[in-house]
Amino acid sequence: MYSVPLDEAWETFAAHLDGARAGVFLVVSKAAAGDGTRAALTATARSLDYGDAGATFARIEAEDGAKLDAKALFSLVEGVDPLVVVAVDGTSAALLGETYRTDVVLERSGRLFGRPLAAFADFEACLADQAAKQRAGHGLTSLPKYTGK
């Protein structure tokens, strides 16, 4: 049964999704995540035992110009049903906050509809600055390890 909403989410939002189909570690961004962000968060998902290809990437703005609104983002996230959510920019964090009617605090871990959440103003920029990179790394390592339970 679990695969039905997951399959529907991938079919409905194909232009907004890529990466691991399982969707257990969901990374949300305004546009397609850059190579540095993808590599860092794929490595983070692996280090937290979500699998070698554990990261799923969702973008609010598809390459064809289509944009997700709060209702569509809710359908995407709930269809994928991740165990963890990471917002990599202020736009995605703000839309997730609007979607779930909650305050998403940047640069801090939190919860999103019961799921662990890490949110960043600009994760890609964090990778270029050693102090910011360490803070981002701390925020990501505060996410729970996958235990399979």
Side-chain angles (χ1 to χ4, degrees):
M1 281 310 283
Y2 176 78
S3 68
V4 172
L6 180 63
D7 291 343
E8 288 176 358
W10 276 89
E11 289 170 18
T12 303
F13 301 107
H16 299 274
L17 288 167
D18 67 277
R21 189 165 178 87
V24 294
F25 190 95
L26 182 64
V27 178
V28 183
S29 58
K30 176 182 177 183
D35 292 341
T37 294
R38 293 178 72 84
L41 293 174
T42 297
T44 298
R46 184 181 311 111
S47 74
L48 294 173
D49 297 329
Y50 291 95
D52 287 337
T56 302
F57 295 87
R59 54 194 167 277
I60 294 166
E61 298 176 0
E63 291 178 11
D64 65 4
K67 293 182 182 181
L68 299 175
D69 61 11
K71 184 177 178 182
L73 183 59
F74 182 84
S75 295
L76 182 153
V77 174
E78 293 307 309
V80 171
D81 195 18
L83 299 175
V84 171
V85 178
V86 178
V88 298
D89 53 55
T91 300
S92 61
L95 188 57
L96 283 166
E98 178 186 340
T99 298
Y100 287 92
R101 297 180 182 154
T102 190
D103 291 329
V104 173
V105 181
L106 299 173
E107 317 307 330
R108 296 183 63 189
S109 58
R111 309 281 299 170
L112 188 70
F113 221 51
R115 296 177 179 97
L117 168 72
F120 302 93
D122 187 345
F123 186 81
E124 191 78 26
C126 290
L127 298 176
D129 175 83
Q130 192 58 36
K133 187 175 182 178
Q134 287 181 340
R135 286 190 304 275
H138 177 70
L140 292 171
T141 57
S142 71
L143 296 170
K145 281 192 159 230
Y146 179 69
T147 62
K149 298 178 183 177

